[in-house]
């Protein structure tokens, strides 16, 4: 957890602002006894001030060592509070828009969906036995079919099928579902039979 905290807590701006955090305030913060504007001010300051960050880091270092050592009576924080402080600082980063963009671009690309495998989708799957589709026209037909079924997909550059698809011979064959996961413009398809 130490490394992770270091990453999270490292100030983005080395320039120090005027009002340093009082040791007592840091203690109150870690104990979760600081609220409102005061709490906000200290968290914000910790994000910018190298000096106070160092003090907090020392505090956190001791706190991480707490588990492996005999409890020290001068240790006034609790592990749980340290997590709370880390979470607050993450929140500040997010509010500051420094993490949120990265988060968005990393996660917005992943789409998961399930579609009933109807004849239109089957026809596209049965065009050939390729597991890796590179044919743009075929991919386009798939995207169009997705759109018709209410799954809006902006762009797919590649399709990866988990295993070859063969049409069920029986009219009374099991119902099939197409599991779709789209990540970084690649669509991963898997066919699942349901009762
Ligand atoms: Zn400071």
């Amino acid at each position: 957890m130490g490394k992770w905290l270091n990453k999270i807590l490292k100030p983005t701006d080395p320039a120090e602002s005027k009002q340093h955090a009082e040791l007592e305030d840091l203690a109150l913060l870690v104990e979760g006894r600081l609220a409102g504007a005061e709490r906000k001010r200290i968290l914000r300051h910790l994000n910018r001030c190298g000096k106070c960050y160092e003090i907090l880091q020392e505090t956190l270092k001791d706190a991480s060592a707490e588990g492996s050592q005999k409890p020290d009576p001068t240790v006034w924080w609790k592990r749980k509070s340290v997590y709370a402080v880390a979470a607050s600082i993450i929140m500040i980063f997010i509010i500051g828009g420094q993490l949120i963009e990265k988060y968005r671009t990393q996660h917005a690309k992943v789409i998961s969906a399930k579609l009933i495998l109807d004849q239109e989708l089957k026809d596209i799957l049965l065009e050939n036995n390729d597991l890796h589709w590179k044919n743009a026209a075929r991919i386009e037909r798939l995207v169009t079919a997705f759109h018709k079924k209410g799954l809006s997909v902006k762009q797919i550059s590649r399709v990866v099928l988990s295993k070859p698809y063969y049409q069920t011979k029986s009219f009374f064959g099991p119902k099939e579902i197409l599991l779709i996961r789209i990540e970084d413009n690649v669509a991963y398809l898997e066919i699942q039979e349901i009762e």
Side-chain angles (χ1 to χ4, degrees):
M1 157 155 141
K3 255 187 197 164
W4 176 76
L5 274 176
N6 269 355
K7 223 184 224 172
I8 297 301
L9 296 175
K10 199 150 182 71
T12 47
D13 184 359
E16 296 175 20
S17 43
K18 299 152 218 162
Q19 243 185 316
H20 286 299
E22 301 276 335
L23 258 177
E24 205 185 321
D25 282 343
L26 281 178
L28 289 173
L29 175 77
V30 176
E31 283 175 339
R33 288 201 281 139
L34 210 58
E38 193 60 7
R39 177 186 166 87
K40 232 181 214 175
R41 184 184 68 76
I42 301 243
L43 286 173
R44 214 161 263 164
H45 179 79
L46 280 167
N47 264 324
R48 295 186 179 87
C49 173
K51 221 178 237 174
C52 292
Y53 162 65
E54 252 171 54
I55 294 168
L56 186 75
Q57 205 188 19
E58 284 308 309
T59 307
L60 293 169
K61 233 186 252 167
D62 291 342
S64 341
E66 191 190 6
S68 55
Q69 282 168 11
K70 233 169 69 181
D72 181 345
T74 64
V75 175
W76 35 259
W77 51 80
K78 291 185 176 66
R79 188 173 293 270
K80 209 168 129 195
S81 319
V82 173
Y83 278 109
V85 172
S88 306
I89 293 172
I90 293 168
M91 279 314 292
I92 296 288
F93 269 99
I94 290 175
I95 290 162
Q98 294 170 46
L99 259 184
I100 196 82
E101 278 313 309
K102 206 175 161 207
Y103 181 85
R104 262 193 205 136
T105 50
Q106 273 178 355
H107 291 78
K109 278 181 186 164
V110 184
I111 299 168
S112 294
K114 277 183 193 179
L115 291 177
I116 303 266
L117 194 66
D118 63 5
Q119 198 53 50
E120 185 184 22
L121 288 170
K122 280 180 190 173
D123 288 344
I124 299 167
L125 288 171
L126 289 166
E127 276 179 37
N128 61 48
N129 292 331
D130 290 351
L131 288 182
H132 292 253
W133 306 6
K134 282 159 196 144
N135 182 304
R138 189 187 191 189
I139 293 171
E140 186 54 42
R141 276 194 289 281
L142 184 72
V143 171
T144 306
F146 283 173
H147 276 260
K148 270 194 227 167
K149 293 164 214 319
L151 175 62
S152 83
V153 177
K154 269 190 193 139
Q155 203 206 341
I156 295 178
S157 54
R158 221 151 45 82
V159 173
V160 178
L161 200 59
S162 65
K163 54 176 189 256
Y165 176 68
Y166 303 106
Q167 180 133 40
T168 322
K169 294 286 191 305
S170 161
F171 285 112
F172 307 103
K175 221 178 187 184
E176 289 159 316
I177 294 278
L178 185 65
L179 301 178
I180 306 150
R181 185 169 61 87
I182 300 165
E183 200 173 341
D184 292 330
N185 297 335
V186 181
Y188 300 89
L189 306 182
E190 193 183 332
I191 289 106
Q192 201 177 56
E193 292 182 355
I194 52 170
E195 295 300 311

